[in-house]
């Protein structure tokens, strides 16, 4: 049976210090713990392939560590491909796009990110359209229009180079709930698409199924994760300190089925609208990355696969 959805996993294995550990047994005997199992790209990529993922989505903060271990991103691509995976794309923060004085710098950074994705063989760049609400909000009309102008310019560059730009809003961004749909409708649909982060748009205040139904023709890809806290209050979304990091250890993000989002309904809609392509599974916030990615792979491939494969 054809797989309409190809699952990628977002790299949250921060600071991987080795490319490949040649003396694994000696490494293990240094402290006789499981730390040796999570120290090199070779093992971690094999975990991805072994748990059913076809791809890996990287983030800009990964590149610094990758380039310490590989001579260039082309070598990293080959290393990933040799272990049965592809690079699906990369996340990218657009930065302070509300201020036109930053556009030349931000556009150059964006072009560099697209070029990096092409080198790695990826097809998606998922773009957070600005900085935190606390630094900008409430968004002025001038700031809104400046942001839209830069997004469209980035979209044209990525489209011309065969990479899909997917807007990726987060619940504490400057482009917050009051501007969310207007942002999508103000951008150029020929080159600016949307990456639905199932948890983030729900935390933001959107009803996930209604939002997807309304904008299904703009969706380029997904970040899939659950949440138990839809429609977070403004005082949290607009807080001056990073709302994703809570002092009490509160988790915004959960494995699928461990929160309250209706994934069964979502996958029925994905089948209705005929979505095909990459979807990235995210397991940020978990205390056990391997357990979460394995469980999520089972959930999407088997439980949701019964609905839409």
């Amino acid at each position: 049976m054809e797989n309409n959805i190809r699952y990628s996993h977002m790299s949250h294995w921060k600071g991987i210090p080795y490319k490949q550990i040649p003396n694994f047994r000696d490494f293990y005997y240094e402290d006789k713990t499981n730390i040796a199992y999570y120290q090199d790209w070779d093992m971690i990529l094999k975990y991805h392939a072994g748990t059913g993922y076809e791809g890996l989505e990287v983030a800009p903060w990964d590149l610094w560590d990758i380039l310490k271990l590989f001579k260039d991103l082309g070598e990293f691509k080959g290393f990933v491909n040799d272990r049965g995976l592809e690079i699906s794309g990369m996340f990218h923060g657009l930065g302070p796009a509300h201020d036109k004085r930053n556009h030349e710098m931000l556009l150059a950074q964006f072009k560099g990110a697209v070029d990096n994705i092409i080198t790695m063989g990826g097809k998606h760049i998922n773009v957070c359209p600005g900085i935190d609400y606390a630094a900008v909000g409430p968004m002025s009309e001038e700031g809104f229009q400046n942001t839209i102008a830069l997004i469209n310019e980035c979209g044209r560059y990525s489209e011309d180079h065969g990479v899909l730009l997917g807007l990726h809003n987060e619940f504490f961004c400057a482009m917050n709930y009051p501007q969310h749909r207007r942002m999508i409708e103000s951008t150029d649909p020929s080159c600016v698409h949307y990456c639905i982060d199932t948890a983030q748009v729900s935390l933001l205040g959107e009803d996930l199924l209604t939002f997807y139904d309304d904008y299904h023709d703009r969706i380029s890809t997904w970040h899939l994760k659950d949440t138990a806290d839809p429609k977070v209050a403004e005082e949290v979304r607009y807080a001056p300190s990073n709302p994703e990091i809570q002092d009490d250890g509160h988790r915004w993000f959960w494995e699928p089925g461990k929160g309250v989002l209706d994934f069964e309904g979502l996958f029925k809609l994905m089948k209705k609208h005929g979505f095909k392509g990459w979807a990235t599974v995210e397991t940020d916030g978990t205390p056990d990355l391997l357990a979460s990615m394995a469980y999520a792979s089972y959930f999407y491939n088997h439980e949701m696969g019964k609905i839409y494969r």
Side-chain angles (χ1 to χ4, degrees):
M1 184 180 294
E2 179 185 1
N3 287 325
N4 294 304
I5 303 175
R6 302 184 68 198
Y7 289 108
S8 183
H9 184 259
M10 186 75 176
S11 176
H12 288 293
W13 302 79
K14 305 299 187 205
I16 302 167
Y18 300 102
K19 176 179 177 180
Q20 191 169 13
I21 298 174
N23 56 333
F24 182 82
R25 292 193 305 276
D26 293 340
F27 199 107
Y28 171 78
Y29 280 123
E30 286 186 9
D31 61 7
K32 301 182 181 65
T33 70
N34 69 348
I35 191 171
Y37 289 84
Y38 305 109
Q39 294 289 293
D40 69 326
W41 276 105
D42 178 56
M43 293 283 278
I44 287 169
L45 291 171
K46 287 173 180 175
Y47 298 156
H48 282 72
T51 51
Y53 295 94
E54 295 183 62
L56 182 75
E57 182 173 334
V58 298
W61 49 85
D62 296 320
L63 300 186
W64 298 105
D65 291 325
I66 289 169
L67 290 173
K68 293 176 186 175
L69 304 175
F70 298 86
K71 66 179 182 181
D72 54 37
L73 294 178
E75 184 191 8
F76 178 67
K77 173 183 181 293
F79 194 85
V80 171
N81 294 164
D82 288 346
R83 284 146 187 81
L85 300 166
E86 300 175 38
I87 302 295
S88 62
M90 187 167 73
F91 183 78
H92 181 76
L94 202 54
H98 64 285
D99 188 336
K100 198 169 185 178
R101 293 172 296 182
N102 298 320
H103 283 197
E104 183 178 355
M105 172 193 68
L106 295 174
L107 183 60
Q109 291 174 351
F110 177 84
K111 289 179 177 180
V114 170
D115 295 345
N116 286 337
I117 292 168
I118 293 169
T119 299
M120 292 185 287
K123 299 296 183 185
H124 293 274
I125 182 164
N126 298 316
V127 174
C128 184
I131 54 179
D132 296 3
Y133 182 94
V136 176
M139 176 72 77
S140 68
E141 181 62 21
E142 180 183 11
F144 178 89
Q145 294 300 334
N146 286 342
T147 303
I148 296 301
L150 182 60
I151 291 171
N152 283 334
E153 194 166 359
C154 291
R156 287 189 287 271
Y157 182 85
S158 58
E159 193 77 15
D160 288 345
H161 290 76
V163 174
L164 295 175
L165 185 157
L167 291 173
H168 177 290
N169 236 45
E170 302 192 354
F171 73 96
F172 52 89
C173 281
M175 283 283 192
N176 217 273
Y177 184 73
Q179 299 86 20
H180 188 219
R181 292 187 173 223
R182 184 183 173 210
M183 173 188 67
I184 300 170
E185 292 162 8
S186 299
T187 50
D188 185 349
S190 71
C191 60
V192 178
H193 312 280
Y194 197 93
C195 167
I196 294 184
D197 185 308
T198 50
Q200 294 280 10
V201 299
S202 301
L203 289 160
L204 186 70
E206 296 282 3
D207 177 84
L208 175 61
L209 269 59
T210 301
F211 178 72
Y212 175 47
D213 213 20
D214 290 346
Y215 292 98
H216 65 272
D217 57 342
R218 295 289 296 271
I219 306 308
S220 54
T221 187
W222 300 78
H223 279 185
L224 298 171
K225 55 182 181 278
D226 209 341
T227 185
D229 298 280
K231 297 180 172 60
V232 173
E234 287 185 0
E235 57 263 30
V236 177
R237 303 201 315 273
Y238 301 165
S241 57
N242 185 350
E244 279 199 348
I245 309 299
Q246 296 291 302
D247 291 339
D248 63 358
H250 182 81
R251 284 178 64 177
W252 297 117
F253 310 125
W254 292 91
E255 298 84 354
K258 306 303 183 186
V260 299
L261 298 185
D262 182 4
F263 281 99
E264 182 175 343
L266 176 63
F267 273 71
K268 287 178 179 178
L269 278 179
M270 292 168 83
K271 181 176 181 179
K272 171 187 171 183
H273 295 308
F275 175 82
K276 292 186 179 183
W278 284 108
T280 292
V281 174
E282 280 202 273
T283 51
D284 50 340
T286 175
D288 191 324
L289 275 164
L290 183 54
S292 292
M293 65 185 285
Y295 171 77
S297 177
Y298 175 84
F299 181 89
Y300 294 119
N301 280 298
H302 296 275
E303 296 298 326
M304 296 301 100
K306 296 173 185 177
I307 299 171
Y308 185 46
R309 187 174 301 281

